[in-house]
Every structure is written in structure tokens, then in C-alpha cells.
Amino acid sequence: MEENYRIFNHFNQKTMKERSKTIFNLLVAVCSITAISCNNDVLEEKTNKVDLSQIEFSLTDADFQPEVDNASTRSLKETVKDTVSLGDGLTAEVTVEPDTAVTKSPKTRAISNGHYTMLAYDMGGNLKGVLEGSVSGSVFTPASGKPENIQLTPGTYTFVCYNDKVTRNGNDLTVAIADAETARIGRAENVVVSGKKQKIPFVMKHAGCKVRFVYDIPSLECYTSENIDASVSSDAGSVPTSATINAFTKNVSYGAGTITGIPLRIQNKTHYQYTSPDVSGCNGLSNDTYLLPSTNSSKFTLKFNSGQIWETEFTGKYIKVPTSKVMKMNGSYIVKFKIFTKPYYLFSDGTAGLLTKHPGKTAIGVVVYRAQQLAMALNDVDAGATYRWSSLMLGAENNNDDSFSTFMPGSVYGVSMGGEFNSQPYGYALTYGYFTTPSTNKVKGNSTDYPAFYAAAHYTPSVPVTGTNLNHWVLPTVSEWGELLRHYGKNFGKNLSSLYYFQSWTDQVDYSSSSIASLFTPVSGTVPSGTYWTSREYMNTSLGTPKYEGVAFVFGYGDRVYIMNTPKNIPEKVRPFIYY
């Protein structure tokens, strides 16, 4: 029995040891499983975050763009013209316009390579991470040695990206005016981050805006020797010189300063070119000037530091921009000053100039183009009597009486153009050149067969004329009539040479009748009105056989002018011009 107890006890101890070992192994296994489970929880927590290094950020550069009206998504709907006085009878039209020249370039393009910083904000405006890196080929790559793995909880975020021309202090991004051209800021708002592979694009906009300042003195005022020096400055302390933007809220504060001496270089000071009439005159243009948003155009002044054009002194004259336009980020603007000087007059002694500079002299004409020494009579022939273009009634409609009409047959554009023939202006050549009258070889100005030409050539002013250079009055061309409007019409909408149709509403041209009237009233002249013959002929080929018609210049209703093809036997008024 004792033996049996010893065997049982041995067996029981062995069993207990084995059971203890088993329990210990079970405990170890449980702890291992628990540890593994705890470790998996950490990994799971990390995988519940989104690693931004796995998201592709692409950046494109936005060009400066004309400001767009938010309501209509069109460029500023209407350009307001403000008229200001410079003193001494000088006036200017000032406009602030969207600079549409920039639309010729692509609106976006590949952005410059360089260093960029990315900020991530949750919808509460809390900054959740900062990621620095570089851009190459428009793709953002996190920088080596920087915190590459910003971990974001899946959700909706606003991302802000900026280049190294922008400085950051907390949530504030600051741009200095010196960096207005090159600083870039882009936003991607309401971006849902889910952990799936995605691409977030940024359109990087200029933090500043661009403006050009331009002055234009129409070609009546063109010159060859006197230099104009002009510049633009701001009012003291009126222009933002730094801008601080809250990266999330976009609230902006500004530091104010002064801009002085933006130079306007001379673009053109040549005489009129028949092939390109729009580029003549005195023009000044600044370089592209980069400012900060909220800059107000009314804080700038154009000042002429020196210069004289003909008898008009510009030194010390200035024009303060009357138009209040607040400029916007990435916007592009042009501030234009169109300057009108006092009218020039032709006097009975053959000289020309300002009335105030020639006291005691009597005006007989308004100078419409100084560079060509072209003037217009103060009055119609015989107080508005009417004359036929041609009195050759029988078959006259088939007479080619203007050799230039065959150069561009059937072309309204052709009869509107100016030019020279044998070094003589068209109006002179058509009135006094027999070679310009193919049908009869007659000098129209000396032939009663061409009554309108004859009346113009034999015009006599109302006062005695002593100037020996005042012998050849002419029947003007369409282009010569156009010089009157181009230089004095102010609101003159476009060149007459752009017309393509006769007597069409779409091809009538706006002008300022009050501006034209102001030329004649001080000198007891007659304001032109109604229909006048020009010296041009229209070769009408619409019916096959050429039909030659006269061309009339019409002052219509509502400050509009147009040209009209008219049978040569219809009587119209005559207003002579002269090359003095």
C-alpha cells in the first residue's frame, strides 16, 4: 500500500509539473498574442492616417489676366472715360482698362522649378501639417531631410502652396512689393483626402498685379526734335508696399508706402505713315509695373518733367488719375492718358500756330494735320451751295475720273485709304493732276466739267490772303476728312480705312461733334454738317460692267459719320482743304 502511494504521488507530481508547464506555456502564448494584438493596433492606427507623400501635387503657373466681372464672367463691361484739364487749354481722356494684350498668351503654363512649401488646414482652420519640397516639371517632390510624411486623418482639407518669394509667420503669408511679380500663391480648397491614390492640382497665381501706364498725343501732335520726359508717381503713403494674407481665411492687411518716378519711355515720335496711321504721334509707355492687390488707380499722377511739342509747353503739366479702380491679385491693367492740345490754325499770312501765340493774325483754316501741313477751310464754298462731282451727264457714269479707283476695284477700304502719287498727296494729285483723270486727261480743279473740284480749287477765304503758299485749295479725299476726326474728334471710334461697306450702320464711325464745333466757334467758322463731296471715285463692279460713282462724306445723326457712293450728277456741299 505504501508502495502504491509512492507511485501515485510520483505520478501526481509529474502531472502537476506538466500541467504547470502547460499553463505557463499557455500564459506565454496569451501574452504573446496580446502583445501581437497591441502591436497590430498601432499599425492599424497609422494606416488610418493618410500619408501625404503618397499624394501627387501638380503645379501650373497662371498668367496675369484682365479683370473679369464676377456677375457676367466678362472683362470689365464698360470703360469709363474721365476728362481732365491740364491747364492752358490742354485736356486729357483718362481710362483704366483691363489689359487684354495678355490674353494672347496661354492662361496657364508650366511653373518655374524651385522651392515650394505646402500647408494643410482642416475645415476649422487648424494647421495640420507643413510639407516643404521642390518642383520640377510641375510636380512637387518632398525635400530630402524634411518631414516627408504628414499624416492626415481622412477628411476635407484646404491646401495652400507658396514659393520662396513669400515669407510665413504662423498662418500669415507676407509678400513685399519688390516680389509682386515673382511671388506665387496657390490654393486647393475642399479637397477630400481618403487614402486612395489621388492628384491635387494647384494653379499658382501671382501675389501681385500688373499695370502699364500709357500716354498718347494723336499724330496731329507728332514731332521730330523736342523730347518729352514723363513719369508716374503715387500719392505719399497711398500704395500698399507689403501684403500679409492669412493662409486659411484669406484676410489681408497692408503696409503703405510711396512709389515715385515710374518712367514712360518714348515709343514713337515719327511723322504719319500712310501704311500704318495708328502708330504715328507722340506715345509714351512704362515698363510692366508690378504692384500689390488693393492698389487704387486714383492714387497715381502722370507728370511731364520736360518737353515741348510745337508751340505747346508740357513742362510741369500733370494729370491725376480720376478713375478709382481697386486692382486685384493676378490682374492686369492699363492706365491710358489721351491728351488733346489746343487747336492749330492756318493764318492769312501763310503761317500756322496757336491763336494765343499769334495775336493780331486772322485765321482762315483749322490745321488738321501739322506734319503734312494740311488745313481745312473755316467755311463751305459759297455758304453751303451744292455742286456736282461731274457735269458730264451723257455716259458720265462710265467715265474713269480717278486713276486710283482701279487699283482696288470694288473696294470701300481702298477709297478710304490715304497715300501719295508722284510725291503728291492724293487730294492734291486728284485736284491738280491731269494724269489722275484717265477719261479726259483734264485737271479737274481747272475744269468746269468737274464743278465740285473747280469750286474747291477757286475757293476764296472771307479775308485778304497774303501768304504765297496759299494758292492751291483742293477737294479732300476720304482720308483727309478723316484727319479732322482722328485728331480732334476725341471719341472717334476707328479709322475710316477700316470700313468695308457704304452707308451701313455697322460701318458708321462715332465722333464728338462738340469737339469739332469748338474748333470753329472761336474763329467765326462754320461747323461742318450734312453731306460733302470727296475727290475719290468708287469703281462699282457689282453689275459686271464697271460703273464709276463719286464718294461722299456724311455727318449723320447721333455723332456718327460714314461714307456713301453717290451718282456724280447729284449736287453736294464742298469744303476745301489746303496743303500750305
Side-chain angles (χ1 to χ4, degrees):
M1 185 174 180
E2 182 178 347
E3 180 66 23
N4 290 338
Y5 174 79
R6 190 167 54 246
I7 293 172
F8 172 79
N9 189 46
H10 174 75
F11 175 80
N12 188 45
Q13 289 179 351
K14 182 178 179 182
T15 302
M16 289 293 292
K17 287 181 180 180
E18 287 178 352
R19 288 176 64 186
S20 297
K21 185 176 181 180
T22 300
I23 292 171
F24 175 78
N25 288 337
L26 287 172
L27 289 174
V28 169
V30 168
C31 289
S32 297
I33 292 171
T34 303
I36 291 172
S37 177
C38 291
N39 190 45
N40 283 341
D41 285 344
V42 173
L43 291 174
E44 185 175 348
E45 182 180 350
K46 285 188 178 180
T47 57
N48 280 336
K49 299 281 189 176
V50 178
D51 186 350
L52 287 189
S53 65
Q54 303 303 310
I55 296 177
E56 181 181 344
F57 295 97
S58 64
L59 283 66
T60 54
D61 194 26
D63 286 335
F64 287 103
Q65 289 295 310
E67 183 178 328
V68 173
D69 183 271
N70 290 331
S72 62
T73 65
R74 295 178 299 176
S75 292
L76 295 176
K77 290 182 281 188
E78 184 175 350
T79 298
V80 178
K81 295 181 180 179
D82 291 302
T83 301
V84 298
S85 172
L86 287 72
D88 294 332
L90 302 176
T91 59
E93 284 181 352
V94 185
T95 59
V96 181
E97 308 172 15
D99 192 353
T100 55
V102 299
T103 60
K104 296 178 181 178
S105 303
K107 291 185 178 181
T108 58
R109 57 190 171 194
I111 197 163
S112 300
N113 296 342
H115 179 268
Y116 292 80
T117 302
M118 203 85 63
L119 308 178
Y121 288 90
D122 65 17
M123 290 297 94
N126 301 301
L127 180 62
K128 306 303 291 184
V130 179
L131 185 63
E132 295 186 39
S134 61
V135 169
S136 178
S138 296
V139 176
F140 178 85
T141 303
S144 175
K146 298 291 182 180
E148 294 184 14
N149 299 319
I150 296 181
Q151 305 292 329
L152 296 180
T153 302
T156 303
Y157 294 86
T158 289
F159 293 93
V160 179
C161 183
Y162 59 91
N163 68 359
D164 55 7
K165 298 298 181 180
V166 179
T167 59
R168 184 174 74 90
N169 181 15
N171 292 327
D172 290 336
L173 305 179
T174 299
V175 179
I177 193 170
D179 297 315
E181 176 188 4
T182 54
R184 300 289 194 279
I185 299 175
R187 301 177 66 84
E189 298 181 340
N190 299 316
V191 178
V192 176
V193 174
S194 63
K196 296 180 180 179
K197 188 173 181 62
Q198 65 186 118
K199 181 176 181 179
I200 300 177
F202 284 91
V203 176
M204 303 297 291
K205 294 184 178 181
H206 297 82
C209 54
K210 183 177 73 171
V211 62
R212 292 187 296 148
F213 297 94
V214 179
Y215 73 79
D216 171 51
I217 303 174
S219 58
L220 174 67
E221 315 299 340
C222 73
Y223 62 99
T224 55
S225 59
E226 304 93 337
N227 284 319
I228 293 289
D229 176 38
S231 60
V232 170
S233 298
S234 72
D235 297 344
S238 66
V239 175
T241 52
S242 66
T244 300
I245 310 162
N246 183 284
F248 182 75
T249 66
K250 297 184 283 187
N251 292 334
V252 187
S253 60
Y254 299 97
T258 306
I259 296 177
T260 59
I262 301 171
L264 278 73
R265 64 189 185 279
I266 295 293
Q267 286 292 101
N268 185 357
K269 54 180 181 178
T270 60
H271 289 313
Y272 176 81
Q273 302 173 21
Y274 290 116
T275 56
S276 186
D278 290 335
V279 301
S280 58
C282 176
N283 309 98
L285 173 66
S286 73
N287 290 327
D288 291 338
T289 302
Y290 299 94
L291 305 172
L292 292 174
S294 89
T295 298
N296 194 314
S297 61
S298 65
K299 304 302 181 182
F300 289 94
T301 298
L302 169 68
K303 182 180 179 181
F304 290 94
N305 304 309
S306 64
Q308 185 183 53
I309 297 180
W310 299 91
E311 293 179 337
T312 302
E313 180 61 57
F314 277 82
T315 303
K317 302 294 183 188
Y318 65 89
I319 308 170
K320 184 170 175 59
V321 179
T323 308
S324 178
K325 179 61 193 174
V326 178
M327 300 178 186
K328 297 182 180 181
M329 177 180 174
N330 211 65
S332 184
Y333 306 85
I334 182 167
V335 181
K336 294 182 179 179
F337 306 86
K338 188 172 184 180
I339 301 167
F340 300 92
T341 64
K342 293 172 287 187
Y344 243 47
Y345 291 94
L346 176 65
F347 301 108
S348 59
D349 65 352
T351 61
L354 303 174
L355 288 176
T356 56
K357 298 288 185 178
H358 297 268
K361 293 185 178 182
T362 303
I364 62 170
V366 176
V367 176
V368 298
Y369 192 14
R370 286 185 232 185
Q372 289 285 315
Q373 295 184 292
L374 175 64
M376 172 186 182
L378 293 182
N379 299 290
D380 298 337
V381 173
D382 294 335
T386 56
Y387 300 85
R388 296 170 178 169
W389 200 97
S390 170
S391 63
L392 301 174
M393 298 297 294
L394 186 62
E397 65 181 19
N398 296 318
N399 287 351
N400 178 202
D401 295 319
D402 171 1
S403 60
F404 308 122
S405 68
T406 61
F407 293 167
M408 301 179 72
S411 170
V412 178
Y413 173 80
V415 300
S416 302
M417 293 181 63
E420 292 184 345
F421 187 82
N422 286 354
S423 300
Q424 296 176 342
Y426 273 3
Y428 189 94
L430 288 166
T431 304
Y432 292 104
Y434 69 88
F435 43 80
T436 63
T437 314
S439 61
T440 63
N441 286 327
K442 290 183 178 181
V443 174
K444 291 191 282 289
N446 294 334
S447 173
T448 55
D449 288 340
Y450 301 93
F453 290 87
Y454 188 86
H458 292 82
Y459 170 75
T460 302
S462 58
V463 297
V465 173
T466 59
T468 57
N469 57 333
L470 304 177
N471 296 324
H472 293 88
W473 294 90
V474 304
L475 187 64
T477 63
V478 173
S479 176
E480 288 161 345
W481 269 109
E483 299 295 353
L484 170 71
L485 300 180
R486 191 155 66 91
H487 300 134
Y488 293 117
K490 287 197 175 181
N491 296 331
F492 189 44
K494 58 183 177 180
N495 281 338
L496 290 167
S497 59
S498 67
L499 302 183
Y500 286 89
Y501 302 98
F502 283 121
Q503 202 175 359
S504 165
W505 180 255
T506 58
D507 277 82
Q508 295 187 18
V509 177
D510 297 327
Y511 78 105
S512 171
S513 59
S514 60
S515 297
I516 299 300
S518 69
L519 305 174
F520 297 90
T521 303
V523 290
S524 301
T526 304
V527 180
S529 62
T531 304
Y532 292 86
W533 275 125
T534 76
S535 54
R536 293 309 311 270
E537 175 185 73
Y538 175 63
M539 182 180 176
N540 190 341
T541 59
S542 61
L543 299 177
T545 301
K547 180 179 179 180
Y548 297 91
E549 301 165 326
V551 179
F553 193 92
V554 184
F555 289 85
Y557 296 102
D559 280 11
R560 297 174 75 85
V561 297
Y562 57 91
I563 57 177
M564 180 171 63
N565 57 321
T566 304
K568 295 177 180 179
N569 62 345
I570 300 296
E572 304 291 3
K573 291 192 288 187
V574 172
R575 177 66 68 103
F577 282 49
I578 191 170
Y579 286 91
Y580 58 90

PDB file of all heavy atoms in Angstrom, residues 351-371:
ATOM      1  N   THR A 351       1.203 131.424 -92.218  1.00  0.00           N
ATOM      2  CA  THR A 351       1.791 130.768 -91.057  1.00  0.00           C
ATOM      3  C   THR A 351       0.709 129.985 -90.314  1.00  0.00           C
ATOM      4  O   THR A 351      -0.490 130.142 -90.576  1.00  0.00           O
ATOM      5  CB  THR A 351       2.424 131.796 -90.101  1.00  0.00           C
ATOM      6  OG1 THR A 351       1.400 132.699 -89.644  1.00  0.00           O
ATOM      7  CG2 THR A 351       3.525 132.578 -90.803  1.00  0.00           C
ATOM      8  N   ALA A 352       1.148 129.169 -89.375  1.00  0.00           N
ATOM      9  CA  ALA A 352       0.199 128.364 -88.603  1.00  0.00           C
ATOM     10  C   ALA A 352       0.655 128.295 -87.161  1.00  0.00           C
ATOM     11  O   ALA A 352       1.854 128.346 -86.861  1.00  0.00           O
ATOM     12  CB  ALA A 352       0.096 126.960 -89.192  1.00  0.00           C
ATOM     13  N   GLY A 353      -0.296 128.199 -86.247  1.00  0.00           N
ATOM     14  CA  GLY A 353       0.060 128.075 -84.843  1.00  0.00           C
ATOM     15  C   GLY A 353      -1.142 128.256 -83.948  1.00  0.00           C
ATOM     16  O   GLY A 353      -2.294 128.264 -84.398  1.00  0.00           O
ATOM     17  N   LEU A 354      -0.876 128.396 -82.645  1.00  0.00           N
ATOM     18  CA  LEU A 354      -1.920 128.600 -81.659  1.00  0.00           C
ATOM     19  C   LEU A 354      -2.413 130.046 -81.712  1.00  0.00           C
ATOM     20  O   LEU A 354      -1.635 130.977 -81.937  1.00  0.00           O
ATOM     21  CB  LEU A 354      -1.389 128.299 -80.258  1.00  0.00           C
ATOM     22  CG  LEU A 354      -0.809 126.892 -80.016  1.00  0.00           C
ATOM     23  CD1 LEU A 354      -0.206 126.811 -78.618  1.00  0.00           C
ATOM     24  CD2 LEU A 354      -1.869 125.828 -80.205  1.00  0.00           C
ATOM     25  N   LEU A 355      -3.684 130.236 -81.495  1.00  0.00           N
ATOM     26  CA  LEU A 355      -4.236 131.593 -81.508  1.00  0.00           C
ATOM     27  C   LEU A 355      -3.541 132.487 -80.488  1.00  0.00           C
ATOM     28  O   LEU A 355      -3.241 133.658 -80.762  1.00  0.00           O
ATOM     29  CB  LEU A 355      -5.743 131.552 -81.213  1.00  0.00           C
ATOM     30  CG  LEU A 355      -6.663 130.996 -82.304  1.00  0.00           C
ATOM     31  CD1 LEU A 355      -8.099 130.951 -81.792  1.00  0.00           C
ATOM     32  CD2 LEU A 355      -6.580 131.822 -83.576  1.00  0.00           C
ATOM     33  N   THR A 356      -3.275 131.943 -79.318  1.00  0.00           N
ATOM     34  CA  THR A 356      -2.661 132.747 -78.266  1.00  0.00           C
ATOM     35  C   THR A 356      -1.220 133.139 -78.559  1.00  0.00           C
ATOM     36  O   THR A 356      -0.704 134.094 -77.982  1.00  0.00           O
ATOM     37  CB  THR A 356      -2.709 131.977 -76.939  1.00  0.00           C
ATOM     38  OG1 THR A 356      -2.071 130.700 -77.111  1.00  0.00           O
ATOM     39  CG2 THR A 356      -4.147 131.764 -76.490  1.00  0.00           C
ATOM     40  N   LYS A 357      -0.577 132.391 -79.444  1.00  0.00           N
ATOM     41  CA  LYS A 357       0.819 132.674 -79.783  1.00  0.00           C
ATOM     42  C   LYS A 357       0.935 133.620 -80.977  1.00  0.00           C
ATOM     43  O   LYS A 357       2.043 134.062 -81.311  1.00  0.00           O
ATOM     44  CB  LYS A 357       1.564 131.367 -80.093  1.00  0.00           C
ATOM     45  CG  LYS A 357       1.632 130.382 -78.932  1.00  0.00           C
ATOM     46  CD  LYS A 357       2.589 130.855 -77.853  1.00  0.00           C
ATOM     47  CE  LYS A 357       2.743 129.800 -76.772  1.00  0.00           C
ATOM     48  NZ  LYS A 357       3.698 130.214 -75.728  1.00  0.00           N
ATOM     49  N   HIS A 358      -0.177 133.912 -81.636  1.00  0.00           N
ATOM     50  CA  HIS A 358      -0.144 134.752 -82.845  1.00  0.00           C
ATOM     51  C   HIS A 358      -1.214 135.830 -82.773  1.00  0.00           C
ATOM     52  O   HIS A 358      -2.145 135.867 -83.586  1.00  0.00           O
ATOM     53  CB  HIS A 358      -0.329 133.886 -84.092  1.00  0.00           C
ATOM     54  CG  HIS A 358       0.754 132.880 -84.296  1.00  0.00           C
ATOM     55  ND1 HIS A 358       1.876 133.125 -85.049  1.00  0.00           N
ATOM     56  CD2 HIS A 358       0.906 131.607 -83.815  1.00  0.00           C
ATOM     57  CE1 HIS A 358       2.665 132.069 -85.047  1.00  0.00           C
ATOM     58  NE2 HIS A 358       2.095 131.129 -84.298  1.00  0.00           N
ATOM     59  N   PRO A 359      -1.128 136.702 -81.774  1.00  0.00           N
ATOM     60  CA  PRO A 359      -2.132 137.764 -81.667  1.00  0.00           C
ATOM     61  C   PRO A 359      -2.104 138.703 -82.880  1.00  0.00           C
ATOM     62  O   PRO A 359      -1.043 138.975 -83.443  1.00  0.00           O
ATOM     63  CB  PRO A 359      -1.712 138.497 -80.384  1.00  0.00           C
ATOM     64  CG  PRO A 359      -0.249 138.205 -80.223  1.00  0.00           C
ATOM     65  CD  PRO A 359      -0.063 136.820 -80.760  1.00  0.00           C
ATOM     66  N   GLY A 360      -3.274 139.146 -83.274  1.00  0.00           N
ATOM     67  CA  GLY A 360      -3.368 140.071 -84.395  1.00  0.00           C
ATOM     68  C   GLY A 360      -3.490 139.406 -85.747  1.00  0.00           C
ATOM     69  O   GLY A 360      -3.783 140.064 -86.750  1.00  0.00           O
ATOM     70  N   LYS A 361      -3.301 138.077 -85.816  1.00  0.00           N
ATOM     71  CA  LYS A 361      -3.422 137.381 -87.097  1.00  0.00           C
ATOM     72  C   LYS A 361      -4.844 136.858 -87.275  1.00  0.00           C
ATOM     73  O   LYS A 361      -5.569 136.622 -86.301  1.00  0.00           O
ATOM     74  CB  LYS A 361      -2.428 136.225 -87.188  1.00  0.00           C
ATOM     75  CG  LYS A 361      -0.961 136.680 -87.246  1.00  0.00           C
ATOM     76  CD  LYS A 361      -0.025 135.510 -87.466  1.00  0.00           C
ATOM     77  CE  LYS A 361       1.419 135.962 -87.567  1.00  0.00           C
ATOM     78  NZ  LYS A 361       2.349 134.843 -87.837  1.00  0.00           N
ATOM     79  N   THR A 362      -5.232 136.651 -88.533  1.00  0.00           N
ATOM     80  CA  THR A 362      -6.587 136.194 -88.839  1.00  0.00           C
ATOM     81  C   THR A 362      -6.547 134.762 -89.342  1.00  0.00           C
ATOM     82  O   THR A 362      -5.841 134.449 -90.306  1.00  0.00           O
ATOM     83  CB  THR A 362      -7.241 137.093 -89.905  1.00  0.00           C
ATOM     84  OG1 THR A 362      -7.236 138.449 -89.432  1.00  0.00           O
ATOM     85  CG2 THR A 362      -8.673 136.661 -90.166  1.00  0.00           C
ATOM     86  N   ALA A 363      -7.323 133.910 -88.694  1.00  0.00           N
ATOM     87  CA  ALA A 363      -7.370 132.503 -89.098  1.00  0.00           C
ATOM     88  C   ALA A 363      -8.244 132.331 -90.329  1.00  0.00           C
ATOM     89  O   ALA A 363      -9.298 132.965 -90.450  1.00  0.00           O
ATOM     90  CB  ALA A 363      -7.908 131.656 -87.952  1.00  0.00           C
ATOM     91  N   ILE A 364      -7.780 131.459 -91.250  1.00  0.00           N
ATOM     92  CA  ILE A 364      -8.584 131.113 -92.423  1.00  0.00           C
ATOM     93  C   ILE A 364      -8.819 129.607 -92.518  1.00  0.00           C
ATOM     94  O   ILE A 364      -9.540 129.140 -93.403  1.00  0.00           O
ATOM     95  CB  ILE A 364      -7.921 131.610 -93.728  1.00  0.00           C
ATOM     96  CG1 ILE A 364      -6.548 130.932 -93.928  1.00  0.00           C
ATOM     97  CG2 ILE A 364      -7.785 133.124 -93.731  1.00  0.00           C
ATOM     98  CD1 ILE A 364      -5.938 131.180 -95.304  1.00  0.00           C
ATOM     99  N   GLY A 365      -8.212 128.838 -91.618  1.00  0.00           N
ATOM    100  CA  GLY A 365      -8.382 127.394 -91.660  1.00  0.00           C
ATOM    101  C   GLY A 365      -7.983 126.736 -90.350  1.00  0.00           C
ATOM    102  O   GLY A 365      -7.274 127.326 -89.533  1.00  0.00           O
ATOM    103  N   VAL A 366      -8.455 125.522 -90.145  1.00  0.00           N
ATOM    104  CA  VAL A 366      -8.070 124.693 -89.000  1.00  0.00           C
ATOM    105  C   VAL A 366      -7.044 123.677 -89.482  1.00  0.00           C
ATOM    106  O   VAL A 366      -7.300 122.944 -90.455  1.00  0.00           O
ATOM    107  CB  VAL A 366      -9.282 123.947 -88.408  1.00  0.00           C
ATOM    108  CG1 VAL A 366      -8.836 123.012 -87.285  1.00  0.00           C
ATOM    109  CG2 VAL A 366     -10.318 124.925 -87.898  1.00  0.00           C
ATOM    110  N   VAL A 367      -5.892 123.643 -88.844  1.00  0.00           N
ATOM    111  CA  VAL A 367      -4.869 122.672 -89.223  1.00  0.00           C
ATOM    112  C   VAL A 367      -5.324 121.299 -88.736  1.00  0.00           C
ATOM    113  O   VAL A 367      -5.527 121.091 -87.530  1.00  0.00           O
ATOM    114  CB  VAL A 367      -3.505 123.031 -88.621  1.00  0.00           C
ATOM    115  CG1 VAL A 367      -2.474 121.944 -88.938  1.00  0.00           C
ATOM    116  CG2 VAL A 367      -3.038 124.377 -89.151  1.00  0.00           C
ATOM    117  N   VAL A 368      -5.497 120.349 -89.651  1.00  0.00           N
ATOM    118  CA  VAL A 368      -5.950 119.013 -89.266  1.00  0.00           C
ATOM    119  C   VAL A 368      -4.809 118.012 -89.188  1.00  0.00           C
ATOM    120  O   VAL A 368      -4.975 116.924 -88.643  1.00  0.00           O
ATOM    121  CB  VAL A 368      -7.046 118.484 -90.223  1.00  0.00           C
ATOM    122  CG1 VAL A 368      -8.270 119.382 -90.166  1.00  0.00           C
ATOM    123  CG2 VAL A 368      -6.537 118.349 -91.639  1.00  0.00           C
ATOM    124  N   TYR A 369      -3.664 118.396 -89.767  1.00  0.00           N
ATOM    125  CA  TYR A 369      -2.509 117.502 -89.683  1.00  0.00           C
ATOM    126  C   TYR A 369      -1.240 118.320 -89.879  1.00  0.00           C
ATOM    127  O   TYR A 369      -0.885 118.678 -90.982  1.00  0.00           O
ATOM    128  CB  TYR A 369      -2.622 116.395 -90.721  1.00  0.00           C
ATOM    129  CG  TYR A 369      -1.638 115.269 -90.510  1.00  0.00           C
ATOM    130  CD1 TYR A 369      -0.950 115.145 -89.311  1.00  0.00           C
ATOM    131  CD2 TYR A 369      -1.395 114.326 -91.491  1.00  0.00           C
ATOM    132  CE1 TYR A 369      -0.049 114.137 -89.099  1.00  0.00           C
ATOM    133  CE2 TYR A 369      -0.504 113.293 -91.286  1.00  0.00           C
ATOM    134  CZ  TYR A 369       0.171 113.208 -90.086  1.00  0.00           C
ATOM    135  OH  TYR A 369       1.062 112.199 -89.872  1.00  0.00           O
ATOM    136  N   ARG A 370      -0.577 118.611 -88.784  1.00  0.00           N
ATOM    137  CA  ARG A 370       0.575 119.503 -88.843  1.00  0.00           C
ATOM    138  C   ARG A 370       1.734 118.904 -89.621  1.00  0.00           C
ATOM    139  O   ARG A 370       2.422 119.604 -90.352  1.00  0.00           O
ATOM    140  CB  ARG A 370       1.022 119.840 -87.421  1.00  0.00           C
ATOM    141  CG  ARG A 370       0.100 120.790 -86.726  1.00  0.00           C
ATOM    142  CD  ARG A 370       0.654 121.179 -85.374  1.00  0.00           C
ATOM    143  NE  ARG A 370      -0.326 120.975 -84.333  1.00  0.00           N
ATOM    144  CZ  ARG A 370      -0.146 121.325 -83.075  1.00  0.00           C
ATOM    145  NH1 ARG A 370       0.969 121.893 -82.716  1.00  0.00           N
ATOM    146  NH2 ARG A 370      -1.075 121.107 -82.181  1.00  0.00           N
ATOM    147  N   ALA A 371       1.993 117.621 -89.407  1.00  0.00           N
ATOM    148  CA  ALA A 371       3.152 117.016 -90.062  1.00  0.00           C
ATOM    149  C   ALA A 371       3.052 117.100 -91.574  1.00  0.00           C
ATOM    150  O   ALA A 371       4.066 117.221 -92.267  1.00  0.00           O
ATOM    151  CB  ALA A 371       3.288 115.564 -89.631  1.00  0.00           C
TER     152      ALA A 371
END
